PDB file of all heavy atoms in Angstrom:
ATOM      1  N   GLY A  26     108.689 100.063  74.250  1.00 74.00           N
ATOM      2  CA  GLY A  26     109.270  99.407  73.092  1.00 74.00           C
ATOM      3  C   GLY A  26     108.355  98.396  72.432  1.00 74.00           C
ATOM      4  O   GLY A  26     107.570  97.718  73.089  1.00 74.00           O
ATOM      5  N   VAL A  93     107.706  98.787  98.387  1.00 98.00           N
ATOM      6  CA  VAL A  93     107.782  99.394  97.073  1.00 98.00           C
ATOM      7  C   VAL A  93     107.863  98.264  96.058  1.00 98.00           C
ATOM      8  O   VAL A  93     108.710  97.373  96.184  1.00 98.00           O
ATOM      9  CB  VAL A  93     108.988 100.332  96.934  1.00 98.00           C
ATOM     10  CG1 VAL A  93     109.087 100.882  95.515  1.00 98.00           C
ATOM     11  CG2 VAL A  93     108.881 101.469  97.935  1.00 98.00           C
ATOM     12  N   MET A 107     115.821  86.139  89.756  1.00 94.00           N
ATOM     13  CA  MET A 107     116.856  86.962  90.365  1.00 94.00           C
ATOM     14  C   MET A 107     116.911  88.324  89.685  1.00 94.00           C
ATOM     15  O   MET A 107     116.890  88.418  88.464  1.00 94.00           O
ATOM     16  CB  MET A 107     118.220  86.282  90.260  1.00 94.00           C
ATOM     17  CG  MET A 107     118.313  84.965  91.008  1.00 94.00           C
ATOM     18  SD  MET A 107     118.202  85.216  92.797  1.00 94.00           S
ATOM     19  CE  MET A 107     118.346  83.532  93.379  1.00 94.00           C
TER      20      MET A 107
END
Side-chain angles (χ1 to χ4, degrees):
V93 176
M107 297 293 180

